[in-house]
């Protein structure tokens, strides 16, 4: 399945080449989810949309700084290649 730079409910492509701070995450959330999908029909709709957007942001969005792969995939690859070493004097 091809990966998309757009998240659930977005109106256009998203570039992840910038550093995401809490402010930019909130702005992106409002721009990509809240505004395009209004009017919302209640808190339950907002909560579900937020969960979907959070999943996309953390697990599916492509991030140019890490080779156009999703952050979750990058983290999985990192830990697969960097297993913690046992502490000195501990028999494994």
């Amino acid at each position: 399945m091809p990966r998309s730079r757009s998240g659930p409910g977005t109106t256009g492509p998203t570039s992840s080449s910038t550093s995401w701070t809490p402010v930019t995450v909130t702005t992106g959330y409002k721009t990509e989810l809240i505004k395009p999908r209004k009017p919302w029909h209640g808190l339950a709709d907002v909560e579900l949309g937020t969960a979907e957007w959070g999943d996309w942001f953390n697990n599916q969005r492509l991030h140019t700084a890490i080779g156009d792969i999703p952050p979750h995939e990058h983290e999985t690859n990192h830990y697969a290649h960097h297993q913690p070493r046992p502490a000195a004097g501990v028999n494994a």
Side-chain angles (χ1 to χ4, degrees):
M1 175 175 6
R3 294 181 180 146
S4 170
R5 289 190 181 277
S6 298
T10 63
T11 58
T14 301
S15 172
S16 298
S17 61
T18 59
S19 176
W20 285 90
T21 65
V23 171
T24 57
V25 170
T26 301
T27 301
Y29 167 78
K30 289 178 181 178
T31 301
E32 296 178 352
L33 176 71
I34 297 299
K35 292 176 184 175
R37 289 176 58 176
K38 66 181 181 181
W40 293 88
H41 300 289
L43 183 58
D45 286 345
V46 175
E47 289 175 342
L48 179 59
T50 299
E52 291 170 346
W53 188 85
D55 176 65
W56 167 79
F57 186 86
N58 292 322
N59 299 309
Q60 301 169 25
R61 73 183 167 105
L62 301 183
H63 196 299
T64 57
I66 56 176
D68 282 329
I69 62 172
H72 178 73
E73 185 176 328
H74 177 74
E75 182 178 355
T76 300
N77 293 342
H78 172 80
Y79 286 112
H81 293 95
H82 297 91
Q83 295 298 322
R85 290 185 240 175
V90 175
N91 293 327

